[in-house]
Amino acid sequence: MNDRLLALVRIAFGLLVTAALAFQISTLLGEGVFNPTRFFLFFTVLSNLFAAAVLLEGGRRQLTSASPVPDMVRGAAVVYMTVTYIVFAVLLSDLQEQLQTNVVWVDSVLHRITPVVMLVDWLVAPPRAPIALRPALIWLAYPLAWTTFTLIRGAVDGWYPYPFLDPANGGYGVVALYAVAILVGFLVVTWAVAAVGSAMRARRSD
């Protein structure tokens, strides 16, 4: 895929994600249930916003011949969207109303299409240099900070964005088990994204 076409595809999908989020907000406003302090706490929403920014900025930089988006930033977006896809598929696929993604096409964009797009983008345009696991672990900083903040806020106001983080569903022991399992998932996905990106880079260099 040539650079101009890749740039346009990135911008198109970045706009699609932006439109999906805007439409969902508009729908929630129409239903009188939009709460920005809750909507923008969902990991899915924040990760999709980040992915959209990476896609739009990546496309813009390609079209203007500016320096590309740093690979560590792109890799982070791939990890977050991949984990979003896995957690949704395993734990949350029947909870669209609770997740505030009850519009079918919006749900598909945020939970299915964008994760695939970010992974394909990583494969089509692999990192410019190999990424070792140790530096890639910085990608875990955001989900760890998000989880900590979410649990503290939930303890204060009683609202949790996902049922597996709510201690009312089995206690803090169950929450801890889910948190550890998802952290392990993040570690595996981080390793895989770094390894696959490095392998694709090496293949391109041969």
Side-chain angles (χ1 to χ4, degrees):
M1 184 180 293
N2 65 56
D3 286 347
R4 181 174 178 80
L5 179 57
L6 178 58
L8 294 175
V9 170
R10 283 173 167 168
I11 290 171
F13 278 110
L15 291 174
L16 176 63
V17 177
T18 304
L21 288 167
F23 189 87
Q24 185 63 60
I25 290 171
S26 176
T27 299
L28 294 172
L29 282 169
E31 296 171 352
V33 295
F34 179 65
N35 182 336
T37 64
R38 292 187 175 184
F39 184 78
F40 290 107
L41 188 57
F42 284 99
F43 189 88
T44 295
V45 171
L46 293 173
S47 296
N48 271 275
L49 282 171
F50 181 48
V54 169
L55 290 170
L56 291 170
E57 181 62 10
R60 185 196 69 80
R61 291 190 183 198
Q62 276 187 293
L63 292 178
T64 58
S65 299
S67 59
V69 173
D71 291 325
M72 290 298 289
V73 174
R74 292 180 57 225
V78 178
V79 169
Y80 304 154
M81 291 311 307
T82 300
V83 173
T84 293
Y85 177 91
I86 294 170
V87 172
F88 176 77
V90 174
L91 299 174
L92 305 169
S93 59
D94 296 323
L95 300 175
Q96 285 83 353
E97 200 73 38
Q98 183 175 338
L99 302 180
Q100 298 186 21
T101 56
N102 52 311
V103 179
V104 174
W105 74 269
V106 171
D107 180 62
S108 294
V109 169
L110 301 186
H111 289 121
R112 300 177 182 87
I113 295 174
T114 309
V116 173
V117 168
M118 297 310 296
L119 181 57
V120 171
D121 182 78
W122 189 246
L123 298 176
V124 170
R128 296 180 299 282
I131 297 177
L133 177 60
R134 181 171 292 182
L137 292 177
I138 190 65
W139 294 337
L140 301 180
Y142 158 57
L144 287 172
W146 176 88
T147 301
T148 301
F149 174 79
T150 299
L151 291 175
I152 293 173
R153 174 189 163 137
V156 172
D157 71 2
W159 181 82
Y160 298 84
Y162 302 110
F164 54 80
L165 292 178
D166 190 344
N169 299 319
Y172 281 103
V174 173
V175 171
L177 287 174
Y178 276 113
V180 169
I182 292 172
L183 175 60
V184 171
F186 264 108
L187 285 168
V188 172
V189 172
T190 293
W191 170 81
V193 168
V196 169
S198 298
M200 293 300 293
R201 176 72 277 166
R203 177 178 292 184
R204 286 288 187 87
S205 300
D206 290 343

